[in-house]
Amino acid sequence: KTITEKDIDSILSDLELILLQNDVSLKVTEEIKEILKKKISGKKINLLENKRAFIKNALKEAIREILSSEKIDLIERIKAKKPFVIMFVGFNGTGKTTTIAKLGNILKKKGFSVVFSASDTFRAGSIEQLEKHAQNVGIRVIKHRYGGDPAAVAFDAIEHAKARNIDVVMIDTAGRSEMNKNLIEEVKKVKRIAKPDLTIFVADALAGNSIVEQAEKFSDVGIDCSVLTKIDADARGGGALSIIFVTGKPVLYVGTGQGYDDLKEFDPELILKNIF
Amino acid sequence: VLGEALNKALKKLTRGVVDEKLIKEIVKDIQRALIAADVNIELVFQLSKNIEKRAFEEKLPKGVSRKEHIIRIVYDELTKILGEKHEQIYLNPSESTVLLMVGIQGSGKTTTTGKLARFFQKRGFKVGIVCSDTWRPGAYHQLQQYCSPHNIEVFGDPDEKDAIKLAKEGVKYFRKKKYDVIIVDTAGRHKEEKGLIEEMKKISKAVNPNEVILVIDGTIGQQAMPQAKAFSEATPVGSIIVTKLDGSAKGGGALSSAAMTKAKIKFIGEGEKIDDLEEFDPKKFVSRLLG
Ligand SMILES: Nc1nc2c(ncn2[C@@H]2O[C@H](COP(=O)(O)OP(=O)(O)OP(=O)(O)O)[C@@H](O)[C@H]2O)c(=O)[nH]1
Ligand SMILES: Nc1nc2c(ncn2[C@@H]2O[C@H](COP(=O)(O)OP(=O)(O)OP(=O)(O)O)[C@@H](O)[C@H]2O)c(=O)[nH]1
Ligand SMILES: [Mg+2]
Ligand SMILES: [Mg+2]
């Protein structure tokens, strides 16, 4: 028997709903549906096979493929360059500062020396917050005053790292709206000066459709990978699919809580388990 | 008997005049708009069922197109959830009004606490803020730095580990000073963190707020409704403030939360500055939601 477009439409309509309920954005859900249609419509399956099972499995494999594309070996990259500069960017309140503390903690445990750059010179209490986290994990913070130039702090932190033979510099930036052109320009400037080896986009797993707009606008800044936080809040993780689909870059870690050990390597099966 | 047959025929006739295909198409478009705006999927289906039913059954008013009529129905169905106009936070005239800010990590509680305090201060009220967040590093400093330029007093103690004790002491402190409004900021939490949900219950029991305000991130997706449900079951939510609507998000999660908790959205946040707080306007919100 043949899989027709009509079959795909009717069977995908309820699978589509499951994707949406798992916080995959509407735009990405529809694009995946189109990709799947092109791939399997007209395909012949034997008379004993179940059409629904075939289509469902094709969707699962298509999603697995998207989620598993390109991996980044962070440790290998860090070993290859000194100081290795990592910059964190993203929307307000997504967990950038906390993620820096967690990743700094992980790298320190693996034997690397780390320094933080307090390049959020805007938000109230941002420097104290980073400093307290740094104190808890035993990492030094390079900071200026509030209102200072974020790029200048990053420059200072990198110079400090070069002088002290430090392995990794992690740059914290202020949260910003993807719709604010001036703020996007500001973070592009920080990137021009700091020339990071890795730029990480931090997003909230609880976010819905706006995660696509965030991913697109921050992608414009130039990102190498993403971290999806607050997965522990019963978030289904569909945002990971949207981000990877839109940016073409992998999700490196997921945030699974507020403790320093709550950063786990991204596992596509986690998302697939929720959806299927 | 003749009357009944005629009635049936008339019904069929009017049904025939109604463009079923067009109505279904328009409702499908509205469904997509609501889903793209982050409205809870179950709520979208409930709403579109009501909208479609009314579109078929209600008589098309003179001079109004089918599409305009359906849009009016959509507005009507949404304002049933959101209310017709802006609703105030009620202030007790005879004693301090205590407001308790709760919500998920990073939703904007601390920033909104400052904004709300400033809102009341501008209107001539004496406002005090209590920082009872004992978890987040720099929480007290954040409030202190944000509010001190406006001479809004913040009560807190970065070394205190007991959030309930801190909230109690802070409220007592401002009650003694006969402040009009006391706003208590709390640590972020979500429904899976049972210990923190329990802490929130205890804080609420200790300070007995006039209103529990749920601060919702404008970007929140399908988890808005289940989270709002859990918060409301722990501490009945009196009102909602939606933040970050200066991003690309349409705020459908907040609408879903309002539907679940029966609480009204009273303010929206459209920026990080202390004046970026606006009184909620249902019509504006719905038109933005529908794009
Ligand atoms: N439950 C949970 N909370 C998290 C996670 N990651 C961060 N948080 C919390 O989310 C809140 C915001 O985190 P921050 O690190 O301040 O976020 P940010 O992106 O730096 O915020 P801005 O700099 O203001 O834009 C804090 O309360 C964190 O503890 C996570 O994976 N799970
Ligand atoms: N763009 C924008 N950012 C906002 C708005 N409201 C708050 N923020 C930002 O969102 C981030 C988080 O705000 P907080 O007030 O720290 O959030 P919180 O709920 O207190 O966070 P926790 O205490 O960690 O749970 C900060 O960067 C704020 O400046 C808003 O309306 N628009
Ligand atoms: Mg931060
Ligand atoms: Mg806070």
Side-chain angles (χ1 to χ4, degrees):
Chain A
K1 46 192 169 178
T2 309
I3 305 281
T4 65
E5 274 227 1
K6 201 159 169 293
D7 290 323
I8 299 174
D9 274 328
S10 66
I11 289 166
L12 278 190
S13 67
D14 32 300
L15 288 177
E16 202 173 344
L17 232 53
I18 294 173
L19 289 181
L20 294 171
Q21 284 174 323
N22 278 275
D23 279 318
V24 180
S25 77
L26 180 63
K27 175 170 172 215
V28 171
T29 300
E30 291 181 334
E31 293 195 27
I32 290 177
K33 188 170 158 191
E34 287 312 303
I35 289 172
L36 201 68
K37 269 191 186 164
K38 286 201 186 75
K39 211 173 191 180
I40 66 175
S41 83
K43 269 243 157 83
K44 296 228 166 14
I45 60 174
N46 74 54
L47 290 169
L48 295 172
E49 268 190 276
N50 177 317
K51 274 189 180 181
R52 180 182 172 82
F54 181 84
I55 291 171
K56 185 170 181 188
N57 196 53
L59 178 66
K60 185 172 184 181
E61 285 319 304
I63 291 176
R64 176 177 277 126
E65 195 175 327
I66 295 167
L67 293 175
S68 316
S69 56
E70 190 196 344
K71 289 254 183 295
I72 288 181
D73 188 336
L74 184 62
I75 303 304
E76 284 314 306
R77 287 208 191 185
I78 290 174
K79 285 183 183 164
K81 174 152 192 295
K82 194 168 188 168
F84 190 85
V85 181
I86 308 174
M87 183 167 142
F88 292 77
V89 301
F91 187 72
N92 300 85
T94 56
K96 298 174 290 301
T97 305
T98 309
T99 300
I100 287 170
K102 291 176 186 177
L103 186 57
N105 183 46
I106 288 173
L107 294 178
K108 195 155 179 279
K109 280 198 184 152
K110 291 205 193 272
F112 296 104
S113 52
V114 184
V115 71
F116 291 160
S117 170
S119 289
D120 177 355
T121 56
F122 169 74
R123 204 209 70 212
S126 61
I127 298 175
E128 284 79 0
Q129 181 188 11
L130 186 63
E131 279 188 308
K132 190 74 188 67
H133 273 309
Q135 198 173 69
N136 291 342
V137 298
I139 290 174
R140 180 168 186 170
V141 180
I142 303 300
K143 60 174 178 169
H144 290 184
R145 319 189 63 174
Y146 281 103
D149 180 0
V153 187
F155 183 85
D156 256 6
I158 293 166
E159 289 306 299
H160 171 92
K162 285 180 183 163
R164 307 290 173 93
N165 208 26
I166 291 175
D167 299 309
V168 187
V169 177
M170 297 176 77
I171 303 171
D172 189 13
T173 64
R176 66 201 67 229
S177 167
E178 72 278 22
M179 306 309 276
N180 188 319
K181 292 199 177 78
N182 291 334
L183 291 183
I184 294 294
E185 277 313 306
E186 176 191 84
V187 82
K188 278 186 180 171
K189 169 167 168 250
V190 178
K191 188 166 178 185
R192 268 200 304 280
I193 306 248
K195 301 193 185 62
D197 302 294
L198 199 74
T199 303
I200 300 181
F201 167 60
V202 181
D204 190 334
L206 289 169
N209 283 274
S210 66
I211 224 173
V212 167
E213 194 74 22
Q214 285 179 22
E216 285 176 345
K217 292 281 180 340
F218 279 99
S219 215
D220 224 37
V221 172
I223 63 168
D224 301 294
C225 60
S226 305
V227 170
L228 195 66
T229 64
K230 310 180 199 171
I231 283 274
D232 52 305
D234 196 18
R236 301 299 152 77
L241 183 57
S242 300
I243 291 171
I244 297 172
F245 191 86
V246 162
T247 63
K249 297 286 154 66
V251 170
L252 207 57
Y253 293 105
V254 288
T256 58
Q258 299 187 212
Y260 298 115
D261 295 321
D262 295 332
L263 193 69
K264 302 285 181 302
E265 293 199 5
F266 177 65
D267 178 10
E269 296 310 314
L270 180 157
I271 314 289
L272 291 168
K273 211 167 49 357
N274 284 334
I275 297 175
F276 296 99
Chain B
V1 164
L2 184 68
E4 193 173 286
L6 191 59
N7 232 347
K8 270 201 174 160
L10 276 175
K11 266 225 169 88
K12 268 235 181 105
L13 183 64
T14 49
R15 269 229 130 182
V17 168
V18 165
D19 188 344
E20 247 192 69
K21 193 158 168 290
L22 178 63
I23 289 179
K24 286 208 184 276
E25 252 176 60
I26 295 171
V27 172
K28 193 102 184 86
D29 283 344
I30 289 169
Q31 261 184 4
R32 283 189 78 255
L34 292 174
I35 292 172
D38 295 323
V39 179
N40 187 280
I41 302 278
E42 283 183 36
L43 183 59
V44 171
F45 285 143
Q46 223 176 80
L47 284 170
S48 46
K49 235 168 93 223
N50 297 348
I51 292 164
E52 188 168 307
K53 185 165 182 285
R54 288 180 58 179
F56 279 122
E57 293 179 358
E58 287 180 10
K59 199 157 142 282
L60 188 62
K62 267 203 155 36
V64 176
S65 77
R66 178 65 59 189
K67 183 151 194 265
E68 284 171 327
H69 179 229
I70 294 180
I71 300 287
R72 283 188 195 184
I73 294 170
V74 176
Y75 263 79
D76 191 58
E77 286 296 315
L78 292 179
T79 46
K80 277 188 189 155
I81 298 168
L82 299 171
E84 291 268 339
K85 55 186 172 57
H86 169 70
E87 230 187 86
Q88 304 279 351
I89 287 179
Y90 175 72
L91 295 184
N92 192 324
S94 54
E95 57 168 18
S96 308
T97 298
V98 178
L99 307 174
L100 185 66
M101 311 290 277
V102 301
I104 296 173
Q105 286 89 349
S107 61
K109 296 172 293 301
T110 302
T111 308
T112 303
T113 296
K115 290 178 180 180
L116 196 58
R118 178 83 182 121
F119 176 85
F120 287 122
Q121 183 194 50
K122 281 199 249 183
R123 284 155 179 76
F125 296 102
K126 291 218 82 168
V127 192
I129 292 175
V130 180
C131 173
S132 78
D133 182 349
T134 56
W135 297 99
R136 174 164 158 158
Y140 172 74
H141 297 279
Q142 182 181 4
L143 264 176
Q144 220 283 321
Q145 287 173 21
Y146 197 63
C147 299
S148 66
H150 304 279
N151 292 317
I152 297 169
E153 192 176 354
V154 178
F155 178 98
D157 179 358
D159 298 321
E160 178 58 72
K161 293 283 166 265
D162 185 341
I164 293 111
K165 178 165 180 272
L166 206 46
K168 231 176 171 182
E169 283 182 6
V171 171
K172 192 165 173 220
Y173 172 82
F174 286 118
R175 272 199 206 281
K176 240 172 152 211
K177 289 183 140 195
K178 303 243 191 268
Y179 274 35
D180 301 304
V181 186
I182 304 168
I183 309 177
V184 183
D185 185 19
T186 66
R189 68 203 75 225
H190 59 70
K191 68 184 174 71
E192 304 307 312
E193 293 162 327
K194 306 297 180 195
L196 290 181
I197 296 292
E198 195 51 37
E199 178 195 81
M200 179 176 70
K201 277 190 191 162
K202 291 197 177 125
I203 294 174
S204 190
K205 276 208 170 69
V207 306
N208 194 20
N210 299 74
E211 194 143 336
V212 173
I213 301 177
L214 180 60
V215 178
I216 296 182
D217 191 321
T219 65
I220 193 167
Q222 294 297 310
Q223 289 304 311
M225 219 151 88
Q227 292 283 351
K229 182 171 191 282
F231 272 90
S232 216
E233 284 171 358
T235 53
V237 172
S239 53
I240 292 170
I241 297 183
V242 201
T243 62
K244 311 183 195 175
L245 289 184
D246 51 310
S248 58
K250 303 273 163 55
L255 173 81
S256 309
S257 304
M260 169 58 67
T261 61
K262 305 284 183 281
K264 289 288 177 278
I265 301 173
K266 302 215 172 138
F267 291 94
I268 67 170
E270 287 186 309
E272 299 187 71
K273 302 211 197 68
I274 206 162
D275 295 309
D276 291 331
L277 188 72
E278 264 202 41
E279 294 183 308
F280 181 69
D281 178 347
K283 287 202 179 61
K284 241 171 134 199
F285 184 80
V286 173
S287 70
R288 178 212 162 100
L289 196 83
L290 296 176

